[in-house]
Amino acid sequence: MSVSYKELGLVNSRELFSKAVAGGYAIPAYNFNNLEQIQAILQACVETKSPVIIQVSSGARKYANAVLLRNLAKGAVEYVKELGYEIPIVLHLDHGDTFELCKDCIDNGFSSVMIDGSHLPYEENIALTKKVVEYAHLHDVSVEGELGVLAGIEDDVVAEHHTYTKPDEVVDFVSRTGVDSLAISIGTSHGANKFTPEQCTRDENGILIPPPLRFDILEEIEKRIPGFPIVLHGSSSVPQDMVAIVNQFGGKLKDAIGIPEEQLRRAAKSAVCKINIDSDGRIAMTAAIRKVFAEKPSEFDPRKYLGPARDALKELYKHKNLNVLGSAGAA
Ligand code: G3H
Ligand code: 13P
Ligand code: ZN
């Protein structure tokens, strides 16, 4: 028996995106795999009055079990009411790779899906994306497609270099597929090692400065499809203070470099209206847990280390909404 996201009080992303583009901010898209992560995301977004996209990857489904995970998400609307302020919540499939996976999510309460055909030849990407759009739109579910390939690991596919999105392809892709939003490649990548030190320059204090995102490509894309919702994946900033805590307490995060916050702020003010962040949350949780383990070695109650991890995550996401994405106060 299938369930519509509307019965659950969730919303699709279409309306949120048009407001975000007009308002010059981006909706946060935070990944979750467990209870503490969804609690932190919802608490942060309620406290900052921000709309939110909570997203589930294939890896999350394998880790936590798809049925358990979506039931956790289904409690989200009631949970925010209990927290005292109702915010719009989108439940999104991150990096869906098959029609069947997207259909399963659409039939089970997701209000938005990504079909990531970016590794396929262009015409195959179009055919797969169009098929998902046709099914999703019957259910008023929004669809994100992707053009261009991010460097690094994406969907178990390793790409050594970015294949930047070609502005000349976007009108054709968007019109032939009917997607509601488009993920693009302009220099971001997944994970905590987005650049090697050799790709960076140093400022006067010796701090590594990564190469800037390709705003020229973003601008070209905006000219071709004005006001169309653009999505940025791989948008963690890899906060160096958190990396330092991880390493101080026994971790080995080497050469961890992310996208500077000012660049994401600039992107959020443009047609970029969804920004995906996962790795920063992982680093924040790891830092908090390592600290507890190092300082309180006799502690063995999971709530005593997952609780601080949840709190650290919540603070991180509040900061993102307030100072990076600009989504605070939009709900
Ligand atoms: O884009 C990838 C997200 O960070 C999800 O990662 O596939 O390890 O769950 P995952
Ligand atoms: P990060 O690894 O930069 O957090 O990117 C996450 C992402 O794009 C999820 O789809
Ligand atoms: Zn991604």
Side-chain angles (χ1 to χ4, degrees):
M1 202 186 65
S2 65
V3 56
S4 157
Y5 70 88
K6 292 179 184 170
E7 294 164 45
L8 307 172
L10 299 162
V11 297
N12 70 24
S13 46
R14 220 168 293 133
E15 195 184 323
L16 298 190
F17 284 166
S18 48
K19 284 190 194 156
V21 173
Y25 60 89
I27 314 282
Y30 298 136
N31 290 70
F32 74 100
N33 302 262
N34 66 19
L35 177 69
E36 284 75 14
Q37 288 172 321
I38 196 168
Q39 286 176 320
I41 295 168
L42 295 173
Q43 288 171 13
C45 291
V46 164
E47 286 180 29
T48 54
K49 295 189 166 54
S50 170
V52 68
I53 297 171
I54 52 175
Q55 54 186 18
V56 171
S57 68
S58 309
R61 283 166 58 102
K62 278 184 210 127
Y63 170 78
N65 179 279
V67 177
L68 277 179
L69 212 52
R70 69 175 178 247
N71 277 290
L72 203 54
K74 285 172 189 170
V77 173
E78 283 179 48
Y79 180 59
V80 299
K81 275 188 201 153
E82 202 171 285
L83 292 176
Y85 190 81
E86 284 184 55
I87 54 169
I89 302 170
V90 174
L91 175 59
H92 176 77
L93 169 68
D94 190 25
H95 293 285
D97 56 352
T98 62
F99 171 79
E100 291 69 27
L101 173 57
C102 293
K103 181 179 182 303
D104 184 61
C105 289
I106 293 163
D107 292 345
N108 284 288
F110 280 59
S111 57
S112 175
V113 293
M114 174 187 194
I115 178 69
D116 182 355
S118 60
H119 302 286
L120 299 172
Y122 183 70
E123 288 297 330
E124 286 177 38
N125 186 2
I126 290 197
L128 176 61
T129 306
K130 187 170 186 288
K131 188 174 173 189
V132 171
V133 170
E134 278 166 2
Y135 186 75
H137 284 183
L138 290 176
H139 301 268
D140 208 14
V141 166
S142 32
V143 180
E144 174 183 324
E146 180 165 338
L147 261 185
V149 183
L150 276 60
I153 302 174
E154 198 176 78
D155 294 344
D156 298 329
V157 179
V158 183
E160 235 169 78
H161 303 289
H162 301 283
T163 305
Y164 296 119
T165 306
K166 297 185 184 79
D168 284 343
E169 288 180 347
V170 297
V171 172
D172 185 61
F173 185 83
V174 163
S175 58
R176 284 173 64 197
T177 58
V179 282
D180 302 285
S181 61
L182 181 68
I184 60 165
S185 170
I186 56 165
T188 62
S189 59
H190 292 105
N193 295 81
K194 299 189 191 299
F195 306 96
T196 62
E198 294 71 37
Q199 290 172 313
C200 302
T201 51
R202 286 187 189 273
D203 71 5
E204 60 281 8
N205 302 314
I207 307 286
L208 288 170
I209 311 291
L213 296 180
R214 292 291 305 270
F215 283 100
D216 56 324
I217 297 179
L218 174 60
E219 279 159 23
E220 279 305 313
I221 291 170
E222 286 186 84
K223 272 189 215 154
R224 308 289 212 287
I225 42 173
F228 192 81
I230 301 295
V231 178
L232 273 195
H233 283 248
S235 296
S236 278
S237 292
V238 189
Q240 293 302 303
D241 52 342
M242 287 181 188
V243 172
I245 296 173
V246 171
N247 290 339
Q248 179 189 345
F249 293 109
K252 285 198 173 110
L253 284 183
K254 199 171 170 294
D255 296 337
I257 305 169
I259 311 294
E261 289 187 345
E262 322 77 73
Q263 296 208 21
L264 295 167
R265 186 75 204 97
R266 178 173 165 194
K269 285 183 179 159
S270 72
V272 170
C273 62
K274 172 176 180 270
I275 291 193
N276 285 17
I277 296 171
D278 188 4
S279 297
D280 282 355
R282 297 177 179 191
I283 297 168
M285 292 186 87
T286 303
I289 291 172
R290 280 196 173 277
K291 188 164 187 291
V292 174
F293 283 172
E295 290 176 349
K296 299 178 187 162
S298 60
E299 192 54 76
F300 68 100
D301 178 344
R303 293 170 298 187
K304 298 287 166 49
Y305 50 87
L306 293 177
R310 180 179 63 195
D311 294 345
L313 196 53
K314 173 177 151 183
E315 287 315 308
L316 172 85
Y317 289 151
K318 283 174 72 172
H319 163 71
K320 300 272 182 200
N321 295 351
L322 284 161
N323 306 316
V324 185
L325 310 186
S327 63

